[in-house]
Amino acid sequence: MLSPDDWQALALTLKLAVLVTTLLLVFSTPIAWWLATTRSRLQGFVAALIALPLVLPPTVIGFYLLIVYAPASPFGRLLETVGIPPLAFSFEGLVLASMVYSLPFVVQPIQNAMAAIGRTPIEAATMLGANRWQRFRRVVFPLAKPGYVVAAALGFAHTVGEFGIVLMIGGSIPNETRVVSIQIYDQVESLNFAAAHRMSAIVILLALTLLTLVYTQLRASSVNQRLGDA
């Protein structure tokens, strides 16, 4: 049986993952479109910048975010000016940090799906009089939808599995920043291995389900592409 603290951590984790994934899908769309279509020389640098969380230790990202969140920083002073409390060790700060850390897991699948569309369908829609929004809604998004499914699954799963950056930015505040990964860490520290097993099993099952969705979607997209080429 899960304890009340376990349920609280699980609910907070799901809330964080849903919010972060939703925000990332929105913010990643224009970034992915620019990366997929631009001919700018900055494309490689921007793509590398977005991919940094894939290779950097979470503690490095967490350290610099703590500096950014500090009340003495320009960003911290801006927040104070508009009446927003400091973001360190808060749920809001955890959301922003999770968005930074999970950004490449959402941008890259959408970018790849958009790049695979090619210019022909978009040029055809333009010739038929579709404006920019209509081209995205009726052409780009339907064709890139498999990429969005993969991006949502990966972004959600990666947010659920975060630990290092969560520990540095959020700590372990009940009902505020104590997510599942921190709850498991606390249980192991207190030698409560049975509880840690239960929580870990839930995370493994969730991750396996989401990854199955990802690979099923990728396989379906690959089959459809081969049929289209034929």
Side-chain angles (χ1 to χ4, degrees):
M1 292 289 293
L2 297 180
S3 69
D5 287 343
D6 292 339
W7 283 112
Q8 191 178 76
L10 184 60
L12 186 65
T13 301
L14 295 177
K15 176 183 175 182
L16 176 68
V18 168
L19 183 56
V20 168
T21 304
T22 302
L23 291 174
L24 278 180
L25 288 174
V26 174
F27 286 112
S28 296
T29 294
I31 299 173
W33 178 248
W34 184 84
L35 289 172
T37 60
T38 186
R39 296 181 180 178
S40 171
R41 294 182 178 180
L42 293 175
Q43 196 267 1
F45 173 76
V46 175
L49 187 65
I50 291 172
L52 270 180
L54 294 174
V55 295
L56 284 179
T59 49
V60 172
I61 301 173
F63 170 68
Y64 283 108
L65 283 175
L66 282 176
I67 293 177
V68 171
Y69 288 175
S73 71
F75 183 65
R77 288 196 295 269
L78 175 63
L79 293 179
E80 185 179 4
T81 301
V82 297
I84 299 177
L87 292 178
F89 305 105
S90 70
F91 179 77
E92 293 76 14
L94 207 56
V95 170
L96 184 57
S98 298
M99 288 179 64
V100 172
Y101 193 46
S102 295
L103 183 63
F105 291 88
V106 178
V107 169
Q108 291 181 356
I110 299 175
Q111 176 190 346
N112 293 336
M114 288 179 169
I117 294 172
R119 302 196 61 84
T120 302
I122 300 170
E123 291 173 351
T126 303
M127 292 178 63
L128 292 173
N131 58 35
R132 184 174 299 179
W133 167 245
Q134 290 171 331
R135 291 196 298 270
F136 174 79
R137 183 168 60 89
R138 298 179 181 178
V139 179
V140 175
F141 180 73
L143 293 177
K145 189 178 292 184
Y148 277 90
V149 174
V150 173
L154 289 178
F156 189 95
H158 191 251
T159 302
V160 169
E162 291 171 356
F163 174 72
I165 197 168
V166 171
L167 186 63
M168 290 195 69
I169 295 296
S172 182
I173 304 173
N175 207 30
E176 181 73 19
T177 62
R178 186 189 291 168
V179 293
V180 165
S181 58
I182 303 299
Q183 179 73 359
I184 294 172
Y185 178 77
D186 290 343
Q187 288 167 342
V188 172
E189 273 204 324
S190 61
L191 303 181
N192 190 357
F193 295 137
H197 274 304
R198 287 192 293 269
M199 293 298 290
S200 297
I202 292 174
V203 174
I204 291 172
L205 181 61
L206 179 60
L208 183 61
T209 301
L210 291 171
L211 288 175
T212 301
L213 173 64
V214 167
Y215 285 110
T216 302
Q217 183 63 60
L218 289 174
R219 183 178 183 278
S221 299
S222 177
V223 170
N224 292 335
Q225 185 176 0
R226 288 198 300 269
L227 291 175
D229 293 340

